Amino acid sequence: MTDDKQIVNHFVYGKGKPGPLLTDLESLKKKVNQTEEARLQAEKRMHEVAHYLPMMIIVFGENGEVRFWNRECERVTGYSQEEIMAADRPLELGVNSTSGSWTLHEKTDRPGP
């Protein structure tokens, strides 16, 4: 009868080289890293596309903070993404809650026609 330690040694360590278990773990680790890299690239592309869409896109985080404010939001309200994201209470700058719905209004002190 083979003892458990011999079984573990065979699958984990093999005969002087990584056994099948360690080889499979390394392979799995590489696949996970490749998948994460692909996810990050896809997220970056989606972010770039959303930034230039001709419609207002605002993404809020779990705590109500603005996580994304695209170019159309900047054009319509006059507030840049940097201004909104840096503000302590960004919704008070350009977004009011009225009767449970959100209403955007323009920045009143912006220069221009």
Side-chain angles (χ1 to χ4, degrees), residues 79-100:
Y79 290 101
S80 71
Q81 182 171 340
E82 291 79 20
E83 287 177 293
I84 291 295
M85 293 184 136
D88 288 335
R89 300 175 82 167
L91 296 182
E92 292 180 5
L93 292 177
V95 184
N96 289 333
S97 177
T98 329
S99 307

Side-chain angles (χ1 to χ4, degrees), residues 28-45:
L28 181 60
K29 184 177 176 182
K30 285 179 186 176
K31 286 179 184 177
V32 166
N33 288 340
Q34 290 170 349
T35 302
E36 179 64 11
E37 185 176 319
R39 184 194 67 77
L40 290 172
Q41 288 175 356
E43 186 176 311
K44 181 180 177 184
R45 283 191 301 273

Side-chain angles (χ1 to χ4, degrees), residues 52-93:
Y52 291 101
L53 284 175
M55 61 182 67
M56 296 176 70
I57 300 175
I58 306 168
V59 176
F60 296 95
E62 290 180 15
N63 299 320
E65 75 278 12
V66 175
R67 303 283 308 242
F68 183 79
W69 182 264
N70 76 343
R71 188 176 73 167
E72 188 68 2
C73 291
E74 293 177 350
R75 188 187 71 75
V76 170
T77 67
Y79 290 101
S80 71
Q81 182 171 340
E82 291 79 20
E83 287 177 293
I84 291 295
M85 293 184 136
D88 288 335
R89 300 175 82 167
L91 296 182
E92 292 180 5
L93 292 177

